[in-house]
Amino acid sequence: MRFIDGKFYSILLFISNFFLLNLLWLVMCLPIITIFPATSAMYGVMRQWIIHKDPSIFRPFFHYFKENFKQSILIEIFWVMIVFFLYVDYTLAQKLTFAQNIILPILFVLGFLLILVTAFLFPTMVQYKFTTKNLLKNTLVLGICYFPISLGICLLTLLSALILYIFPFSILFIFSIGSYCTYFLCHIAFKKVNLAKGTETQNLIH
């Protein structure tokens, strides 16, 4: 009976942690401009859960939020600018029929590269200490070298969006569960990188 009670308590605690982290992330995203810092903080918590088996939420969340705030804001501005650039160029290309065969393939490649960078962005940010330039470079390298994982992350993101669309109440937990699964996939790549280098170094590319 004690074993059953203990097991039930562990499951209940596990579920409540996802709910609390998801709620904390939503609250910290309310200013809009803090979406990237809040997301990096959530992935920092996932890193603690997966690597260090530390179930804490608030302490690591605000630690990573503060630690990665400036870099996250810079990357957020850069990311928004790129998305805006792609959107404007795509809109213009639709009107310039003669240029579609040239512009659209270029936009497709740039969009594809942005997706690869985004797939590994936050897990890499909390896993390694990089300058912004090296962070973007390394996430692109990881996204290309571990393309099956990148594809898995993209499919996971689409699945999460579908679940959120069908079941709106899933907003209370879908983001934290999605980030947990994403970091778990990225952690596989990180372990392979460290194994290949034969070290736990903090730099992938010098």
mmCIF file of all heavy atoms in Angstrom, residues 61-89:
data_model
loop_
_atom_site.group_PDB
_atom_site.id
_atom_site.type_symbol
_atom_site.label_atom_id
_atom_site.label_comp_id
_atom_site.label_asym_id
_atom_site.label_seq_id
_atom_site.Cartn_x
_atom_site.Cartn_y
_atom_site.Cartn_z
ATOM 1 N N PHE A 61 14.469 28.333 -12.889
ATOM 2 C CA PHE A 61 13.801 29.121 -13.920
ATOM 3 C C PHE A 61 14.304 30.561 -13.898
ATOM 4 O O PHE A 61 14.721 31.102 -14.938
ATOM 5 C CB PHE A 61 12.287 29.103 -13.724
ATOM 6 C CG PHE A 61 11.520 29.821 -14.809
ATOM 7 C CD1 PHE A 61 11.036 29.131 -15.900
ATOM 8 C CD2 PHE A 61 11.297 31.197 -14.735
ATOM 9 C CE1 PHE A 61 10.341 29.781 -16.908
ATOM 10 C CE2 PHE A 61 10.607 31.859 -15.735
ATOM 11 C CZ PHE A 61 10.128 31.151 -16.825
ATOM 12 N N PHE A 62 14.281 31.188 -12.730
ATOM 13 C CA PHE A 62 14.697 32.588 -12.648
ATOM 14 C C PHE A 62 16.212 32.746 -12.789
ATOM 15 O O PHE A 62 16.689 33.794 -13.232
ATOM 16 C CB PHE A 62 14.185 33.213 -11.350
ATOM 17 C CG PHE A 62 12.700 33.452 -11.363
ATOM 18 C CD1 PHE A 62 11.838 32.653 -10.626
ATOM 19 C CD2 PHE A 62 12.169 34.462 -12.149
ATOM 20 C CE1 PHE A 62 10.476 32.865 -10.656
ATOM 21 C CE2 PHE A 62 10.795 34.680 -12.188
ATOM 22 C CZ PHE A 62 9.946 33.883 -11.443
ATOM 23 N N HIS A 63 16.939 31.689 -12.455
ATOM 24 C CA HIS A 63 18.390 31.717 -12.665
ATOM 25 C C HIS A 63 18.697 31.795 -14.159
ATOM 26 O O HIS A 63 19.475 32.657 -14.602
ATOM 27 C CB HIS A 63 19.031 30.469 -12.061
ATOM 28 C CG HIS A 63 20.451 30.268 -12.495
ATOM 29 N ND1 HIS A 63 21.506 31.017 -11.995
ATOM 30 C CD2 HIS A 63 21.004 29.414 -13.412
ATOM 31 C CE1 HIS A 63 22.629 30.640 -12.576
ATOM 32 N NE2 HIS A 63 22.356 29.672 -13.427
ATOM 33 N N TYR A 64 18.097 30.909 -14.925
ATOM 34 C CA TYR A 64 18.336 30.901 -16.378
ATOM 35 C C TYR A 64 17.705 32.116 -17.056
ATOM 36 O O TYR A 64 18.236 32.609 -18.053
ATOM 37 C CB TYR A 64 17.791 29.618 -17.000
ATOM 38 C CG TYR A 64 18.680 28.425 -16.788
ATOM 39 C CD1 TYR A 64 18.375 27.456 -15.833
ATOM 40 C CD2 TYR A 64 19.845 28.260 -17.534
ATOM 41 C CE1 TYR A 64 19.189 26.352 -15.642
ATOM 42 C CE2 TYR A 64 20.666 27.159 -17.345
ATOM 43 C CZ TYR A 64 20.341 26.214 -16.392
ATOM 44 O OH TYR A 64 21.157 25.130 -16.193
ATOM 45 N N PHE A 65 16.577 32.579 -16.534
ATOM 46 C CA PHE A 65 15.925 33.769 -17.098
ATOM 47 C C PHE A 65 16.869 34.966 -17.005
ATOM 48 O O PHE A 65 17.041 35.711 -17.981
ATOM 49 C CB PHE A 65 14.632 34.064 -16.345
ATOM 50 C CG PHE A 65 13.826 35.199 -16.921
ATOM 51 C CD1 PHE A 65 12.883 34.965 -17.910
ATOM 52 C CD2 PHE A 65 14.013 36.503 -16.473
ATOM 53 C CE1 PHE A 65 12.143 36.004 -18.451
ATOM 54 C CE2 PHE A 65 13.273 37.552 -17.008
ATOM 55 C CZ PHE A 65 12.340 37.306 -17.997
ATOM 56 N N LYS A 66 17.490 35.126 -15.855
ATOM 57 C CA LYS A 66 18.410 36.248 -15.654
ATOM 58 C C LYS A 66 19.708 36.039 -16.416
ATOM 59 O O LYS A 66 20.229 36.960 -17.054
ATOM 60 C CB LYS A 66 18.705 36.411 -14.161
ATOM 61 C CG LYS A 66 19.651 37.554 -13.836
ATOM 62 C CD LYS A 66 19.891 37.652 -12.336
ATOM 63 C CE LYS A 66 20.880 38.767 -12.022
ATOM 64 N NZ LYS A 66 21.136 38.861 -10.553
ATOM 65 N N GLU A 67 20.226 34.821 -16.391
ATOM 66 C CA GLU A 67 21.514 34.524 -17.015
ATOM 67 C C GLU A 67 21.477 34.701 -18.532
ATOM 68 O O GLU A 67 22.438 35.198 -19.135
ATOM 69 C CB GLU A 67 21.929 33.093 -16.672
ATOM 70 C CG GLU A 67 23.268 32.690 -17.233
ATOM 71 C CD GLU A 67 23.651 31.274 -16.822
ATOM 72 O OE1 GLU A 67 23.031 30.316 -17.323
ATOM 73 O OE2 GLU A 67 24.553 31.137 -15.971
ATOM 74 N N ASN A 68 20.394 34.303 -19.168
ATOM 75 C CA ASN A 68 20.305 34.340 -20.635
ATOM 76 C C ASN A 68 19.467 35.498 -21.161
ATOM 77 O O ASN A 68 19.155 35.531 -22.357
ATOM 78 C CB ASN A 68 19.712 33.020 -21.149
ATOM 79 C CG ASN A 68 20.577 31.829 -20.807
ATOM 80 O OD1 ASN A 68 21.793 31.884 -20.928
ATOM 81 N ND2 ASN A 68 19.948 30.757 -20.359
ATOM 82 N N PHE A 69 19.102 36.446 -20.279
ATOM 83 C CA PHE A 69 18.168 37.492 -20.677
ATOM 84 C C PHE A 69 18.689 38.319 -21.857
ATOM 85 O O PHE A 69 18.009 38.452 -22.874
ATOM 86 C CB PHE A 69 17.868 38.418 -19.493
ATOM 87 C CG PHE A 69 16.826 39.451 -19.800
ATOM 88 C CD1 PHE A 69 15.481 39.141 -19.731
ATOM 89 C CD2 PHE A 69 17.194 40.744 -20.169
ATOM 90 C CE1 PHE A 69 14.508 40.086 -20.028
ATOM 91 C CE2 PHE A 69 16.232 41.695 -20.470
ATOM 92 C CZ PHE A 69 14.886 41.367 -20.398
ATOM 93 N N LYS A 70 19.889 38.883 -21.739
ATOM 94 C CA LYS A 70 20.412 39.762 -22.781
ATOM 95 C C LYS A 70 20.582 39.024 -24.109
ATOM 96 O O LYS A 70 20.186 39.520 -25.167
ATOM 97 C CB LYS A 70 21.753 40.367 -22.346
ATOM 98 C CG LYS A 70 21.634 41.367 -21.207
ATOM 99 C CD LYS A 70 22.989 41.966 -20.862
ATOM 100 C CE LYS A 70 22.872 42.976 -19.731
ATOM 101 N NZ LYS A 70 24.194 43.558 -19.372
ATOM 102 N N GLN A 71 21.168 37.827 -24.036
ATOM 103 C CA GLN A 71 21.387 37.059 -25.260
ATOM 104 C C GLN A 71 20.058 36.657 -25.890
ATOM 105 O O GLN A 71 19.903 36.708 -27.116
ATOM 106 C CB GLN A 71 22.226 35.823 -24.964
ATOM 107 C CG GLN A 71 22.651 35.059 -26.198
ATOM 108 C CD GLN A 71 23.568 33.900 -25.884
ATOM 109 O OE1 GLN A 71 23.218 33.021 -25.105
ATOM 110 N NE2 GLN A 71 24.750 33.896 -26.476
ATOM 111 N N SER A 72 19.092 36.285 -25.072
ATOM 112 C CA SER A 72 17.778 35.879 -25.584
ATOM 113 C C SER A 72 17.071 37.037 -26.277
ATOM 114 O O SER A 72 16.451 36.852 -27.340
ATOM 115 C CB SER A 72 16.898 35.352 -24.443
ATOM 116 O OG SER A 72 17.449 34.217 -23.842
ATOM 117 N N ILE A 73 17.173 38.226 -25.698
ATOM 118 C CA ILE A 73 16.534 39.399 -26.296
ATOM 119 C C ILE A 73 17.172 39.726 -27.637
ATOM 120 O O ILE A 73 16.477 40.013 -28.632
ATOM 121 C CB ILE A 73 16.629 40.613 -25.355
ATOM 122 C CG1 ILE A 73 15.757 40.408 -24.118
ATOM 123 C CG2 ILE A 73 16.222 41.894 -26.086
ATOM 124 C CD1 ILE A 73 14.270 40.350 -24.400
ATOM 125 N N LEU A 74 18.506 39.668 -27.703
ATOM 126 C CA LEU A 74 19.205 39.938 -28.959
ATOM 127 C C LEU A 74 18.785 38.952 -30.047
ATOM 128 O O LEU A 74 18.517 39.343 -31.187
ATOM 129 C CB LEU A 74 20.719 39.867 -28.752
ATOM 130 C CG LEU A 74 21.366 41.029 -27.986
ATOM 131 C CD1 LEU A 74 22.846 40.742 -27.745
ATOM 132 C CD2 LEU A 74 21.197 42.332 -28.757
ATOM 133 N N ILE A 75 18.730 37.683 -29.675
ATOM 134 C CA ILE A 75 18.342 36.653 -30.642
ATOM 135 C C ILE A 75 16.881 36.797 -31.031
ATOM 136 O O ILE A 75 16.515 36.584 -32.193
ATOM 137 C CB ILE A 75 18.619 35.252 -30.073
ATOM 138 C CG1 ILE A 75 20.129 35.048 -29.922
ATOM 139 C CG2 ILE A 75 18.019 34.170 -30.958
ATOM 140 C CD1 ILE A 75 20.516 33.748 -29.290
ATOM 141 N N GLU A 76 16.044 37.187 -30.081
ATOM 142 C CA GLU A 76 14.622 37.391 -30.383
ATOM 143 C C GLU A 76 14.447 38.502 -31.418
ATOM 144 O O GLU A 76 13.668 38.358 -32.376
ATOM 145 C CB GLU A 76 13.864 37.749 -29.114
ATOM 146 C CG GLU A 76 12.370 37.946 -29.326
ATOM 147 C CD GLU A 76 11.629 38.139 -28.028
ATOM 148 O OE1 GLU A 76 12.264 38.279 -26.963
ATOM 149 O OE2 GLU A 76 10.379 38.153 -28.062
ATOM 150 N N ILE A 77 15.156 39.607 -31.234
ATOM 151 C CA ILE A 77 15.082 40.722 -32.195
ATOM 152 C C ILE A 77 15.561 40.259 -33.576
ATOM 153 O O ILE A 77 14.926 40.538 -34.596
ATOM 154 C CB ILE A 77 15.929 41.908 -31.698
ATOM 155 C CG1 ILE A 77 15.318 42.490 -30.419
ATOM 156 C CG2 ILE A 77 16.023 42.982 -32.776
ATOM 157 C CD1 ILE A 77 16.179 43.543 -29.755
ATOM 158 N N PHE A 78 16.689 39.533 -33.583
ATOM 159 C CA PHE A 78 17.237 39.025 -34.840
ATOM 160 C C PHE A 78 16.259 38.064 -35.502
ATOM 161 O O PHE A 78 16.024 38.130 -36.720
ATOM 162 C CB PHE A 78 18.578 38.327 -34.557
ATOM 163 C CG PHE A 78 19.198 37.676 -35.759
ATOM 164 C CD1 PHE A 78 19.828 38.432 -36.723
ATOM 165 C CD2 PHE A 78 19.152 36.297 -35.917
ATOM 166 C CE1 PHE A 78 20.406 37.838 -37.841
ATOM 167 C CE2 PHE A 78 19.717 35.683 -37.027
ATOM 168 C CZ PHE A 78 20.347 36.465 -37.990
ATOM 169 N N TRP A 79 15.665 37.185 -34.720
ATOM 170 C CA TRP A 79 14.726 36.180 -35.231
ATOM 171 C C TRP A 79 13.494 36.844 -35.840
ATOM 172 O O TRP A 79 13.042 36.474 -36.931
ATOM 173 C CB TRP A 79 14.331 35.242 -34.097
ATOM 174 C CG TRP A 79 13.589 34.007 -34.517
ATOM 175 C CD1 TRP A 79 14.121 32.800 -34.867
ATOM 176 C CD2 TRP A 79 12.159 33.852 -34.617
ATOM 177 N NE1 TRP A 79 13.130 31.908 -35.176
ATOM 178 C CE2 TRP A 79 11.912 32.516 -35.035
ATOM 179 C CE3 TRP A 79 11.084 34.696 -34.380
ATOM 180 C CZ2 TRP A 79 10.629 32.030 -35.224
ATOM 181 C CZ3 TRP A 79 9.797 34.217 -34.577
ATOM 182 C CH2 TRP A 79 9.581 32.898 -34.994
ATOM 183 N N VAL A 80 12.948 37.835 -35.132
ATOM 184 C CA VAL A 80 11.768 38.560 -35.630
ATOM 185 C C VAL A 80 12.098 39.288 -36.927
ATOM 186 O O VAL A 80 11.292 39.304 -37.871
ATOM 187 C CB VAL A 80 11.252 39.549 -34.567
ATOM 188 C CG1 VAL A 80 10.181 40.462 -35.160
ATOM 189 C CG2 VAL A 80 10.677 38.803 -33.373
ATOM 190 N N MET A 81 13.282 39.888 -36.993
ATOM 191 C CA MET A 81 13.691 40.598 -38.205
ATOM 192 C C MET A 81 13.785 39.644 -39.397
ATOM 193 O O MET A 81 13.354 39.980 -40.499
ATOM 194 C CB MET A 81 15.039 41.295 -37.978
ATOM 195 C CG MET A 81 14.972 42.494 -37.049
ATOM 196 S SD MET A 81 16.614 43.186 -36.683
ATOM 197 C CE MET A 81 17.170 43.634 -38.327
ATOM 198 N N ILE A 82 14.349 38.457 -39.159
ATOM 199 C CA ILE A 82 14.477 37.471 -40.238
ATOM 200 C C ILE A 82 13.106 37.000 -40.708
ATOM 201 O O ILE A 82 12.842 36.912 -41.917
ATOM 202 C CB ILE A 82 15.318 36.256 -39.776
ATOM 203 C CG1 ILE A 82 16.762 36.673 -39.530
ATOM 204 C CG2 ILE A 82 15.271 35.151 -40.827
ATOM 205 C CD1 ILE A 82 17.488 37.176 -40.751
ATOM 206 N N VAL A 83 12.228 36.698 -39.757
ATOM 207 C CA VAL A 83 10.873 36.250 -40.114
ATOM 208 C C VAL A 83 10.137 37.338 -40.883
ATOM 209 O O VAL A 83 9.458 37.069 -41.889
ATOM 210 C CB VAL A 83 10.078 35.861 -38.848
ATOM 211 C CG1 VAL A 83 8.609 35.603 -39.187
ATOM 212 C CG2 VAL A 83 10.690 34.616 -38.202
ATOM 213 N N PHE A 84 10.275 38.578 -40.435
ATOM 214 C CA PHE A 84 9.634 39.702 -41.119
ATOM 215 C C PHE A 84 10.189 39.861 -42.533
ATOM 216 O O PHE A 84 9.440 40.077 -43.493
ATOM 217 C CB PHE A 84 9.851 40.990 -40.319
ATOM 218 C CG PHE A 84 9.228 42.211 -40.949
ATOM 219 C CD1 PHE A 84 7.857 42.410 -40.882
ATOM 220 C CD2 PHE A 84 10.014 43.149 -41.602
ATOM 221 C CE1 PHE A 84 7.277 43.534 -41.470
ATOM 222 C CE2 PHE A 84 9.445 44.270 -42.187
ATOM 223 C CZ PHE A 84 8.071 44.467 -42.118
ATOM 224 N N PHE A 85 11.509 39.730 -42.652
ATOM 225 C CA PHE A 85 12.161 39.824 -43.962
ATOM 226 C C PHE A 85 11.645 38.744 -44.905
ATOM 227 O O PHE A 85 11.327 39.011 -46.072
ATOM 228 C CB PHE A 85 13.674 39.689 -43.782
ATOM 229 C CG PHE A 85 14.436 39.490 -45.067
ATOM 230 C CD1 PHE A 85 14.741 40.575 -45.889
ATOM 231 C CD2 PHE A 85 14.852 38.217 -45.454
ATOM 232 C CE1 PHE A 85 15.431 40.388 -47.077
ATOM 233 C CE2 PHE A 85 15.546 38.024 -46.638
ATOM 234 C CZ PHE A 85 15.837 39.115 -47.455
ATOM 235 N N LEU A 86 11.545 37.518 -44.414
ATOM 236 C CA LEU A 86 11.056 36.412 -45.233
ATOM 237 C C LEU A 86 9.598 36.631 -45.642
ATOM 238 O O LEU A 86 9.211 36.358 -46.784
ATOM 239 C CB LEU A 86 11.194 35.092 -44.468
ATOM 240 C CG LEU A 86 12.626 34.608 -44.190
ATOM 241 C CD1 LEU A 86 12.609 33.361 -43.320
ATOM 242 C CD2 LEU A 86 13.362 34.323 -45.494
ATOM 243 N N TYR A 87 8.809 37.126 -44.705
ATOM 244 C CA TYR A 87 7.388 37.348 -44.996
ATOM 245 C C TYR A 87 7.207 38.436 -46.056
ATOM 246 O O TYR A 87 6.432 38.271 -47.013
ATOM 247 C CB TYR A 87 6.651 37.747 -43.715
ATOM 248 C CG TYR A 87 5.220 38.170 -43.955
ATOM 249 C CD1 TYR A 87 4.235 37.228 -44.213
ATOM 250 C CD2 TYR A 87 4.868 39.522 -43.934
ATOM 251 C CE1 TYR A 87 2.927 37.613 -44.456
ATOM 252 C CE2 TYR A 87 3.557 39.921 -44.181
ATOM 253 C CZ TYR A 87 2.593 38.964 -44.433
ATOM 254 O OH TYR A 87 1.293 39.351 -44.671
ATOM 255 N N VAL A 88 7.924 39.554 -45.895
ATOM 256 C CA VAL A 88 7.813 40.660 -46.845
ATOM 257 C C VAL A 88 8.286 40.222 -48.227
ATOM 258 O O VAL A 88 7.636 40.502 -49.249
ATOM 259 C CB VAL A 88 8.625 41.880 -46.362
ATOM 260 C CG1 VAL A 88 8.704 42.946 -47.456
ATOM 261 C CG2 VAL A 88 7.993 42.465 -45.105
ATOM 262 N N ASP A 89 9.420 39.520 -48.260
ATOM 263 C CA ASP A 89 9.948 39.072 -49.550
ATOM 264 C C ASP A 89 9.018 38.065 -50.225
ATOM 265 O O ASP A 89 8.860 38.083 -51.454
ATOM 266 C CB ASP A 89 11.333 38.458 -49.369
ATOM 267 C CG ASP A 89 12.411 39.519 -49.269
ATOM 268 O OD1 ASP A 89 12.062 40.684 -49.001
ATOM 269 O OD2 ASP A 89 13.586 39.191 -49.456
#
